Amino acid sequence: METSLRYGVDSKSLVIHAKEKFPLNSLTHLQGHAELDTRIGAPTYLSGMIRRYFPDQYASLAVGVQYYRRQKLWYNVRGKKAFPVTADEQSLHFHIKGKYDVDEKLVEKKSRVAAEFTWNIMNVKKDQDVRLKVGYEVVEKVPYFQIRENNWTLHVNNSGKWKVRYDL
């Protein structure tokens, strides 16, 4: 199980996040997520999805369901496609990501589309890897930046929102 501690400008409280992947076959898995808000002492997010990888196309597709404490149940479809720019250890990739959500009554809809460059820099120092990500959320028209160093991740966007994550 992958667990992390998360904090952001929107939440105002520390969140404990857990993720588990259950393999269905070599290219498909069932993925579950849960978040516990430490301020209220209750789960605020639950998710289950089936994700399929297409390694020859550097792509993945997922369908699932999400439950938010305040927004109830949502169905979603996600897709991601990577285009390698370099093939070495210091890999640079261009990603296109999309997500489409619809509420339980099939009335309210939300979509997100992002394009980003990701640069993985391995062994900056001994046992230290860094990932830099620069992207643009197309629907919201907001650029963002992310830096990850081993277990720490900082995500900042142009509208003043930020998140920090520590992977346990």
Side-chain angles (χ1 to χ4, degrees), residues 56-165:
D56 295 343
Q57 290 92 25
Y58 297 97
S60 69
L61 181 65
V63 294
V65 63
Q66 296 177 323
Y67 175 79
Y68 294 94
R69 184 173 159 264
R70 293 191 180 127
Q71 299 173 329
K72 304 297 179 201
L73 195 63
W74 288 82
Y75 304 105
N76 61 48
V77 176
R78 296 178 181 205
K80 184 175 182 180
K81 170 81 172 138
F83 301 91
V85 178
T86 61
D88 60 353
E89 192 173 303
Q90 308 286 335
S91 61
L92 179 64
H93 287 82
F94 177 70
H95 296 268
I96 297 174
K97 305 187 302 187
K99 180 180 174 187
Y100 184 77
D101 298 328
V102 63
D103 72 347
E104 60 189 285
K105 296 177 184 169
L106 306 177
V107 175
E108 191 175 346
K109 300 167 181 104
K110 297 187 283 188
S111 60
R112 288 183 57 194
V113 177
E116 63 189 25
F117 282 98
T118 304
W119 184 24
N120 294 313
I121 309 167
M122 308 307 272
N123 295 316
V124 171
K125 292 183 181 176
K126 186 179 181 203
D127 298 327
Q128 181 186 34
D129 299 331
V130 173
R131 180 177 62 208
L132 302 173
K133 190 182 286 188
V134 177
Y136 185 75
E137 290 187 19
V138 177
V139 176
E140 295 180 16
K141 298 181 177 149
V142 176
Y144 59 89
F145 174 76
Q146 184 182 94
I147 184 166
R148 179 182 176 113
E149 185 272 335
N150 290 354
N151 294 9
W152 288 96
T153 304
L154 174 65
H155 184 98
V156 179
N157 72 22
N158 197 36
S159 63
K161 294 186 178 180
W162 58 269
K163 297 180 253 184
V164 65
R165 180 176 85 197

Side-chain angles (χ1 to χ4, degrees), residues 2-15:
E2 299 173 36
T3 56
S4 61
L5 302 175
R6 299 176 180 200
Y7 185 79
V9 70
D10 289 340
S11 67
K12 303 292 190 214
S13 64
L14 185 66
V15 173

